[in-house]
Amino acid sequence: VWLSSFSSLLHIHQLRRSFQLICFFFFFQAEDGIRDAQESRGLGDVYKRQVPGLLAALRNHSRNGRIQANACAALGNLVFKHPGHQQQVLASEGLELLLMALEIHSKDESVLVFSTFWMRNMAAELEQNRTQLCVLGATLQITKTLQRFYTSCPIATNCVLIMRILAGNADGAAQQLCDDGAAEAIIEAMSFHSGCPHLGHTVASQSFLREGCGALVAIAQS
């Protein structure tokens, strides 16, 4: 009797195990079928959808410094050497939002670091980007930013890089920069960084001094 009961229990256990395996097999087969039916989306499509969302965040939360800084940082990376994303920014009036961030958050260092980073990457690529920036008054905005934050290596370096790019590649930009007092602002910032024993020996400060010289040369030659 004992052996008979044990055999019955063993048989039931084997049946239950088989049933679980069958369910497991069909479940994942079904899941595979669902996944196969879906359209495959690459990372390029994901990034392409991010640009409008980030621009909407800038537009809808213009007074929120943290959102502005993070969105500008993300957009600066997305547009880097990517003409398609830059075209999206232009088509959605993204440069206007960029300059608005600079103006509204003119005292917020984190916003200024990432908004000038974004502008630098936009100016470096397409001629229409540079033209639009000049039309929107970017030369004056960048000059004011440098005047306020000349002690900040990241902001100052981004500003002089933008000035150098615009002066050397956009018609009339060099004259606009001269009229806005850009050369004086660059010289004042360079005097501060080269005259301070601590800052003058840091890599970031040396980078600014190098790019500041390049900006002055571009303005003078144009």
Side-chain angles (χ1 to χ4, degrees), residues 142-156:
I142 286 300
T143 300
K144 288 181 177 179
T145 301
L146 179 59
Q147 290 169 342
R148 293 192 191 102
F149 284 89
Y150 63 91
T151 60
S152 168
C153 287
I155 294 175

Side-chain angles (χ1 to χ4, degrees), residues 10-221:
L10 182 60
H11 180 67
I12 292 172
H13 176 74
Q14 289 174 342
L15 288 175
R16 183 181 298 172
R17 181 65 177 170
S18 299
F19 178 75
Q20 289 174 342
L21 289 172
I22 291 170
C23 290
F24 179 86
F25 175 79
F26 280 107
F27 174 78
F28 279 95
Q29 283 291 96
E31 284 295 294
D32 288 339
I34 293 171
R35 283 198 297 271
D36 291 342
Q38 290 179 338
E39 181 181 356
S40 175
R41 292 185 178 133
L43 283 177
D45 293 331
V46 174
Y47 294 146
K48 186 176 181 181
R49 293 195 301 274
Q50 284 184 355
V51 173
L54 290 166
L55 293 174
L58 288 174
R59 186 178 292 108
N60 297 331
H61 303 278
S62 60
R63 299 286 175 179
N64 189 312
R66 182 174 296 181
I67 291 176
Q68 294 288 303
N70 289 336
C72 287
L75 285 162
N77 282 300
L78 286 170
V79 302
F80 179 66
K81 293 186 177 181
H82 200 300
H85 291 162
Q86 294 178 30
Q87 292 288 354
Q88 281 187 288
V89 170
L90 283 175
S92 303
E93 299 183 345
L95 291 181
E96 288 85 344
L97 296 173
L98 167 56
L99 290 171
M100 185 185 301
L102 276 170
E103 183 176 356
I104 293 176
H105 301 276
S106 60
K107 297 181 180 180
D108 189 328
E109 188 168 354
S110 62
V111 175
L112 296 178
V113 167
F114 294 118
S115 58
T116 53
F117 163 69
W118 176 20
M119 185 185 294
R120 184 190 74 190
N121 287 344
M122 289 290 292
E125 293 295 327
L126 302 178
E127 182 179 353
Q128 56 186 325
N129 295 345
R130 295 187 284 271
T131 301
Q132 186 67 8
L133 283 170
C134 290
V135 169
L136 293 173
T139 57
L140 179 58
Q141 199 69 259
I142 286 300
T143 300
K144 288 181 177 179
T145 301
L146 179 59
Q147 290 169 342
R148 293 192 191 102
F149 284 89
Y150 63 91
T151 60
S152 168
C153 287
I155 294 175
T157 302
N158 284 340
C159 286
V160 294
L161 279 169
I162 294 166
M163 290 175 178
R164 189 188 73 184
I165 294 167
L166 293 179
N169 299 281
D171 293 337
Q175 186 59 53
Q176 287 182 0
L177 287 166
C178 285
D179 294 342
D180 296 335
E184 293 84 352
I186 295 171
I187 291 171
E188 182 180 358
M190 291 180 66
S191 176
F192 172 80
H193 286 275
S194 61
C196 178
H198 172 66
L199 290 175
H201 289 86
T202 64
V203 174
S205 188
Q206 291 171 6
S207 176
F208 164 73
L209 292 171
R210 181 179 65 251
E211 301 302 340
C213 290
L216 287 174
V217 170
I219 293 172
Q221 289 181 342

